[in-house]
Structure formats: structure tokens, C-alpha cells
Amino acid sequence: MRQNSGGQKKDMKVIGITGGVGCGKSAVLAYLESEYAAVVTELDGVAKNLQKSGQECFGRIVSQFGTEILRDDGELDRNRLAETVFGDPEKLAKLNAIVHPEVKEWVREDIARKRKDGVGLYVIEAALLPTAGYESICDEMWYIYAEEPVRRRRLKESRGYTDEKITQMIASQPTERMFRESCDHVIENSGTLENTKEQIGELL
């Protein structure tokens, strides 16, 4: 069993799950929850909660981008915010500088809570995990890989996306090389779920 810097036993495993759109991360997360009683934290969901009215993150975003990004009910209009930062690297960097540290701090605190509760497996999911600096938080990073034609078929069938939209989404995410270089293990998820489960079983 690994030791942490304080010399105490580290009995909860923390795994980072990442991969491009359409690679099948959701199926992997569901399996880890049902079969291994994993606590799954999706960073996009954490970010959404931290951006609700009353949260410190919400106030800093409004101060930076103005009240025009708010809906009539006073909550953030995420689509309007996305339009504000889209295509403007400086504005996007400012938004990320507000949100990302808050999300990471929440995750650190949640890991500490779950470890105290005796949880055995904690999973962090995000497509942008390789660029978000979570290597120091995770014991292992897993790249869920699927061939591009498979990803495109899944996205068309499950979400009704066009080829153009899929191409734009893939282009906005880390490259396959970046995913592979930043992760400890690759889960091949182009085939059947049973095959994917076998690979997970070998790692856990």
C-alpha cells in the first residue's frame, strides 16, 4: 500500500479518467460505480455547481465579465458566457483562472472527506484532464481510447451530432498523443463493453 507524504497509509485509490468526446467514458464510469463502488466526480458538474449564484466563483465571474452574462433569474447564462469567451484566448484564460483553481480545491477537499469515510475508489473524470494539472492528485491516469470512426458513429447515434460539429469538438480537445503521454494506462474501448470490463479488471 502506498504511503503519503505524512507517512500514513493511503488506502483509497484515486484514478483520473479522460478521453475525447465519444470515446465511451460514461460507460466506464457507470461500470466503476456499479462494480467497484467507486465515487465518481465529473469536473464539469463540479464547475457548474461552483458557478451557481451565491458561490464565490459566481461572484468573481460576474465581476470579470459583467451582469450581461446572467439570466433573468440571476443565474449564469452558460451559453452567453461561452459566446463571450469563444475565440478570445485572453478572456478564456481569465475564466479558466477563476474556475479551475476553485474546482481543484473542491476536489482535494472531497477526496479528503471520502478517504475519511472509508471510500476505496475515487474517480475523477474530465476530457481536459491532461491539461488541467491533476497528475499530483491522481494515483493513476487512464485514457479511454476509441477509434475516430467509432466515436463519430456513437455521437451521431446517441446525440444526433453532424460530422461538422463532431470535427469541431474533436479539434477543441487534447490530441491523442497528449492523452497517451499524460496517462499511465490506455483502455481500448472501440469494441465490446465486455472487453473493456476485462481491461479494467486487470488494472483493479
Side-chain angles (χ1 to χ4, degrees):
M1 192 173 291
R2 294 191 187 194
Q3 302 285 320
N4 63 18
S5 58
Q8 297 175 326
K9 287 186 176 180
K10 187 177 182 181
D11 54 0
M12 184 175 79
K13 191 170 190 175
V14 180
I15 297 175
I17 298 283
T18 191
V21 61
C23 70
K25 294 189 298 295
S26 295
V28 171
L29 296 176
Y31 178 65
L32 290 172
E33 280 185 307
S34 63
E35 188 68 19
Y36 294 92
V39 169
V40 173
T41 294
E42 298 180 62
L43 296 191
D44 188 52
V46 174
K48 287 180 181 178
N49 286 332
L50 291 177
Q51 292 174 43
K52 289 181 178 179
S53 178
Q55 298 284 345
E56 181 180 348
C57 190
F58 169 90
R60 293 177 62 196
I61 292 173
V62 175
S63 294
Q64 178 66 55
F65 296 101
T67 56
E68 59 268 23
I69 61 170
L70 298 179
R71 303 191 312 234
D72 291 340
D73 63 0
E75 294 290 347
L76 278 182
D77 186 325
R78 290 173 61 84
N79 290 331
R80 197 173 299 171
L81 178 60
E83 291 172 359
T84 300
V85 302
F86 183 76
D88 190 325
E90 185 177 344
K91 287 183 178 179
L92 180 59
K94 288 180 179 178
L95 177 62
N96 288 341
I98 294 171
V99 177
H100 288 181
E102 295 274 354
V103 171
K104 189 175 291 185
E105 182 58 27
W106 186 95
V107 170
R108 288 184 186 277
E109 292 175 356
D110 195 49
I111 286 174
R113 287 191 293 267
K114 296 303 188 293
R115 178 173 284 121
K116 189 175 181 180
D117 291 341
V119 170
L121 181 61
Y122 190 98
V123 176
I124 303 169
E125 182 277 328
L128 300 180
L129 212 58
T131 61
Y134 278 77
E135 296 87 350
S136 61
I137 294 177
C138 299
D139 296 310
E140 295 179 3
M141 298 269 282
W142 293 6
Y143 170 35
I144 312 303
Y145 168 79
E147 298 169 355
E148 187 170 321
V150 174
R151 295 166 63 189
R152 287 181 176 274
R153 174 175 53 78
R154 288 172 178 168
L155 291 169
K156 288 177 183 178
E157 292 176 353
S158 65
R159 306 186 195 180
Y161 288 170
T162 63
D163 276 314
E164 182 180 8
K165 182 176 179 65
I166 294 170
T167 298
Q168 290 175 343
M169 295 181 74
I170 291 176
S172 70
Q173 295 183 334
T175 63
E176 182 183 341
R177 179 178 179 180
M178 185 178 295
F179 277 125
R180 289 183 179 274
E181 290 181 348
S182 64
C183 292
D184 302 291
H185 302 287
V186 177
I187 303 292
E188 165 57 61
N189 197 33
S190 298
T192 66
L193 182 57
E194 287 306 312
N195 179 258
T196 299
K197 290 178 179 179
E198 289 177 7
Q199 296 174 68
I200 292 172
E202 291 174 359
L203 295 176
L204 294 176

PDB file of all heavy atoms in Angstrom, residues 58 67-80:
ATOM      1  N   PHE A  58     -18.968  32.283  -8.634  1.00  0.00           N
ATOM      2  CA  PHE A  58     -20.001  33.022  -9.362  1.00  0.00           C
ATOM      3  C   PHE A  58     -19.726  34.524  -9.294  1.00  0.00           C
ATOM      4  O   PHE A  58     -19.738  35.225 -10.313  1.00  0.00           O
ATOM      5  CB  PHE A  58     -21.373  32.706  -8.757  1.00  0.00           C
ATOM      6  CG  PHE A  58     -22.494  33.588  -9.243  1.00  0.00           C
ATOM      7  CD1 PHE A  58     -23.230  33.240 -10.359  1.00  0.00           C
ATOM      8  CD2 PHE A  58     -22.815  34.761  -8.567  1.00  0.00           C
ATOM      9  CE1 PHE A  58     -24.272  34.055 -10.806  1.00  0.00           C
ATOM     10  CE2 PHE A  58     -23.851  35.575  -9.005  1.00  0.00           C
ATOM     11  CZ  PHE A  58     -24.579  35.220 -10.130  1.00  0.00           C
ATOM     12  N   THR A  67     -22.762  41.805 -15.741  1.00  0.00           N
ATOM     13  CA  THR A  67     -24.082  41.219 -15.480  1.00  0.00           C
ATOM     14  C   THR A  67     -24.803  40.781 -16.754  1.00  0.00           C
ATOM     15  O   THR A  67     -25.833  40.105 -16.672  1.00  0.00           O
ATOM     16  CB  THR A  67     -24.972  42.232 -14.734  1.00  0.00           C
ATOM     17  OG1 THR A  67     -25.042  43.445 -15.502  1.00  0.00           O
ATOM     18  CG2 THR A  67     -24.402  42.546 -13.360  1.00  0.00           C
ATOM     19  N   GLU A  68     -24.270  41.136 -17.922  1.00  0.00           N
ATOM     20  CA  GLU A  68     -24.922  40.719 -19.168  1.00  0.00           C
ATOM     21  C   GLU A  68     -24.826  39.214 -19.399  1.00  0.00           C
ATOM     22  O   GLU A  68     -25.506  38.677 -20.286  1.00  0.00           O
ATOM     23  CB  GLU A  68     -24.331  41.464 -20.375  1.00  0.00           C
ATOM     24  CG  GLU A  68     -22.847  41.279 -20.581  1.00  0.00           C
ATOM     25  CD  GLU A  68     -22.027  42.360 -19.890  1.00  0.00           C
ATOM     26  OE1 GLU A  68     -22.530  42.971 -18.933  1.00  0.00           O
ATOM     27  OE2 GLU A  68     -20.880  42.578 -20.318  1.00  0.00           O
ATOM     28  N   ILE A  69     -24.002  38.517 -18.614  1.00  0.00           N
ATOM     29  CA  ILE A  69     -23.900  37.061 -18.758  1.00  0.00           C
ATOM     30  C   ILE A  69     -24.881  36.338 -17.832  1.00  0.00           C
ATOM     31  O   ILE A  69     -24.840  35.116 -17.722  1.00  0.00           O
ATOM     32  CB  ILE A  69     -22.466  36.558 -18.462  1.00  0.00           C
ATOM     33  CG1 ILE A  69     -22.066  36.900 -17.024  1.00  0.00           C
ATOM     34  CG2 ILE A  69     -21.475  37.128 -19.465  1.00  0.00           C
ATOM     35  CD1 ILE A  69     -20.781  36.236 -16.577  1.00  0.00           C
ATOM     36  N   LEU A  70     -25.777  37.095 -17.183  1.00  0.00           N
ATOM     37  CA  LEU A  70     -26.750  36.500 -16.270  1.00  0.00           C
ATOM     38  C   LEU A  70     -28.096  36.290 -16.954  1.00  0.00           C
ATOM     39  O   LEU A  70     -28.485  37.049 -17.837  1.00  0.00           O
ATOM     40  CB  LEU A  70     -26.944  37.392 -15.042  1.00  0.00           C
ATOM     41  CG  LEU A  70     -25.724  37.624 -14.151  1.00  0.00           C
ATOM     42  CD1 LEU A  70     -26.094  38.548 -13.000  1.00  0.00           C
ATOM     43  CD2 LEU A  70     -25.177  36.302 -13.632  1.00  0.00           C
ATOM     44  N   ARG A  71     -28.804  35.247 -16.515  1.00  0.00           N
ATOM     45  CA  ARG A  71     -30.173  35.025 -16.970  1.00  0.00           C
ATOM     46  C   ARG A  71     -31.120  35.914 -16.169  1.00  0.00           C
ATOM     47  O   ARG A  71     -30.714  36.569 -15.206  1.00  0.00           O
ATOM     48  CB  ARG A  71     -30.566  33.551 -16.769  1.00  0.00           C
ATOM     49  CG  ARG A  71     -29.653  32.554 -17.466  1.00  0.00           C
ATOM     50  CD  ARG A  71     -30.257  31.153 -17.438  1.00  0.00           C
ATOM     51  NE  ARG A  71     -30.737  30.757 -16.119  1.00  0.00           N
ATOM     52  CZ  ARG A  71     -30.366  29.645 -15.485  1.00  0.00           C
ATOM     53  NH1 ARG A  71     -29.482  28.829 -16.032  1.00  0.00           N
ATOM     54  NH2 ARG A  71     -30.867  29.343 -14.297  1.00  0.00           N
ATOM     55  N   ASP A  72     -32.384  35.887 -16.529  1.00  0.00           N
ATOM     56  CA  ASP A  72     -33.381  36.695 -15.822  1.00  0.00           C
ATOM     57  C   ASP A  72     -33.527  36.281 -14.362  1.00  0.00           C
ATOM     58  O   ASP A  72     -33.896  37.096 -13.512  1.00  0.00           O
ATOM     59  CB  ASP A  72     -34.741  36.593 -16.522  1.00  0.00           C
ATOM     60  CG  ASP A  72     -34.741  37.275 -17.885  1.00  0.00           C
ATOM     61  OD1 ASP A  72     -33.855  38.117 -18.121  1.00  0.00           O
ATOM     62  OD2 ASP A  72     -35.617  36.947 -18.710  1.00  0.00           O
ATOM     63  N   ASP A  73     -33.241  34.994 -14.069  1.00  0.00           N
ATOM     64  CA  ASP A  73     -33.378  34.518 -12.686  1.00  0.00           C
ATOM     65  C   ASP A  73     -32.129  34.772 -11.848  1.00  0.00           C
ATOM     66  O   ASP A  73     -32.048  34.361 -10.693  1.00  0.00           O
ATOM     67  CB  ASP A  73     -33.735  33.028 -12.661  1.00  0.00           C
ATOM     68  CG  ASP A  73     -32.641  32.145 -13.269  1.00  0.00           C
ATOM     69  OD1 ASP A  73     -31.600  32.684 -13.707  1.00  0.00           O
ATOM     70  OD2 ASP A  73     -32.831  30.914 -13.306  1.00  0.00           O
ATOM     71  N   GLY A  74     -31.128  35.445 -12.435  1.00  0.00           N
ATOM     72  CA  GLY A  74     -29.932  35.797 -11.683  1.00  0.00           C
ATOM     73  C   GLY A  74     -28.813  34.785 -11.741  1.00  0.00           C
ATOM     74  O   GLY A  74     -27.722  35.030 -11.210  1.00  0.00           O
ATOM     75  N   GLU A  75     -29.065  33.636 -12.377  1.00  0.00           N
ATOM     76  CA  GLU A  75     -28.020  32.626 -12.517  1.00  0.00           C
ATOM     77  C   GLU A  75     -27.206  32.897 -13.786  1.00  0.00           C
ATOM     78  O   GLU A  75     -27.633  33.646 -14.670  1.00  0.00           O
ATOM     79  CB  GLU A  75     -28.627  31.224 -12.587  1.00  0.00           C
ATOM     80  CG  GLU A  75     -29.311  30.768 -11.311  1.00  0.00           C
ATOM     81  CD  GLU A  75     -28.343  30.485 -10.171  1.00  0.00           C
ATOM     82  OE1 GLU A  75     -27.122  30.410 -10.414  1.00  0.00           O
ATOM     83  OE2 GLU A  75     -28.812  30.344  -9.028  1.00  0.00           O
ATOM     84  N   LEU A  76     -26.037  32.268 -13.867  1.00  0.00           N
ATOM     85  CA  LEU A  76     -25.201  32.421 -15.053  1.00  0.00           C
ATOM     86  C   LEU A  76     -25.886  31.842 -16.284  1.00  0.00           C
ATOM     87  O   LEU A  76     -26.463  30.756 -16.223  1.00  0.00           O
ATOM     88  CB  LEU A  76     -23.864  31.697 -14.861  1.00  0.00           C
ATOM     89  CG  LEU A  76     -22.738  32.389 -14.098  1.00  0.00           C
ATOM     90  CD1 LEU A  76     -21.512  31.496 -14.098  1.00  0.00           C
ATOM     91  CD2 LEU A  76     -22.406  33.733 -14.704  1.00  0.00           C
ATOM     92  N   ASP A  77     -25.813  32.560 -17.370  1.00  0.00           N
ATOM     93  CA  ASP A  77     -26.233  32.030 -18.662  1.00  0.00           C
ATOM     94  C   ASP A  77     -24.977  31.425 -19.289  1.00  0.00           C
ATOM     95  O   ASP A  77     -24.143  32.130 -19.858  1.00  0.00           O
ATOM     96  CB  ASP A  77     -26.790  33.154 -19.542  1.00  0.00           C
ATOM     97  CG  ASP A  77     -27.370  32.631 -20.846  1.00  0.00           C
ATOM     98  OD1 ASP A  77     -26.820  31.655 -21.390  1.00  0.00           O
ATOM     99  OD2 ASP A  77     -28.368  33.205 -21.323  1.00  0.00           O
ATOM    100  N   ARG A  78     -24.835  30.113 -19.155  1.00  0.00           N
ATOM    101  CA  ARG A  78     -23.597  29.457 -19.583  1.00  0.00           C
ATOM    102  C   ARG A  78     -23.374  29.581 -21.090  1.00  0.00           C
ATOM    103  O   ARG A  78     -22.235  29.676 -21.544  1.00  0.00           O
ATOM    104  CB  ARG A  78     -23.609  27.989 -19.150  1.00  0.00           C
ATOM    105  CG  ARG A  78     -23.478  27.820 -17.633  1.00  0.00           C
ATOM    106  CD  ARG A  78     -23.669  26.375 -17.202  1.00  0.00           C
ATOM    107  NE  ARG A  78     -22.688  25.491 -17.786  1.00  0.00           N
ATOM    108  CZ  ARG A  78     -21.466  25.283 -17.283  1.00  0.00           C
ATOM    109  NH1 ARG A  78     -21.080  25.922 -16.188  1.00  0.00           N
ATOM    110  NH2 ARG A  78     -20.633  24.446 -17.862  1.00  0.00           N
ATOM    111  N   ASN A  79     -24.445  29.584 -21.856  1.00  0.00           N
ATOM    112  CA  ASN A  79     -24.300  29.753 -23.306  1.00  0.00           C
ATOM    113  C   ASN A  79     -23.771  31.146 -23.640  1.00  0.00           C
ATOM    114  O   ASN A  79     -22.897  31.310 -24.499  1.00  0.00           O
ATOM    115  CB  ASN A  79     -25.640  29.524 -24.005  1.00  0.00           C
ATOM    116  CG  ASN A  79     -26.069  28.069 -23.977  1.00  0.00           C
ATOM    117  OD1 ASN A  79     -25.232  27.165 -23.937  1.00  0.00           O
ATOM    118  ND2 ASN A  79     -27.374  27.828 -23.986  1.00  0.00           N
ATOM    119  N   ARG A  80     -24.301  32.149 -22.954  1.00  0.00           N
ATOM    120  CA  ARG A  80     -23.854  33.521 -23.194  1.00  0.00           C
ATOM    121  C   ARG A  80     -22.401  33.702 -22.748  1.00  0.00           C
ATOM    122  O   ARG A  80     -21.613  34.392 -23.406  1.00  0.00           O
ATOM    123  CB  ARG A  80     -24.766  34.498 -22.456  1.00  0.00           C
ATOM    124  CG  ARG A  80     -24.660  35.941 -22.949  1.00  0.00           C
ATOM    125  CD  ARG A  80     -25.714  36.809 -22.289  1.00  0.00           C
ATOM    126  NE  ARG A  80     -27.068  36.357 -22.604  1.00  0.00           N
ATOM    127  CZ  ARG A  80     -28.159  36.832 -22.013  1.00  0.00           C
ATOM    128  NH1 ARG A  80     -28.048  37.763 -21.075  1.00  0.00           N
ATOM    129  NH2 ARG A  80     -29.346  36.381 -22.351  1.00  0.00           N
TER     130      ARG A  80
END
